[in-house]
Amino acid sequence: MGIINTEQSNIPPNWGEHLHQFKEDTIFLESIRPELLYQYPDCWIAIYQKEVVGVASKLKDVIKQLDQKDVPRGYTVIEFLNTKQIPMIL
């Protein structure tokens, strides 16, 4: 397996930085999840650079908010804050 040549692909040259930031934003979201669930129950939420950049009851509205703020969709953590427990079969 070789090294990816970002000049000949669709991968941005600073993809590692974006991946690291996405990971940090995911950790941030998990660290404040209880507060977010309390503030925004059953809503979609968008986190970018450890900041809440969008909140709405519909995903399409969060996407509109990101576009209006020029927040890159592909590098933003977007998640639904579900207050209902979902049974899982393992």
Side-chain angles (χ1 to χ4, degrees), residues 50-86:
K50 296 183 181 179
E51 183 179 331
V52 176
V53 293
V55 177
S57 60
K58 294 181 182 178
L59 178 59
K60 67 179 183 175
D61 294 334
V62 169
I63 299 298
K64 285 180 189 176
Q65 291 172 20
L66 296 179
D67 292 345
Q68 289 169 350
K69 296 176 184 178
D70 290 325
V71 176
R73 297 179 189 181
Y75 305 130
T76 305
V77 176
I78 302 173
E79 193 168 314
F80 185 73
L81 298 173
N82 195 344
T83 58
K84 299 170 190 78
Q85 296 229 343
I86 300 172

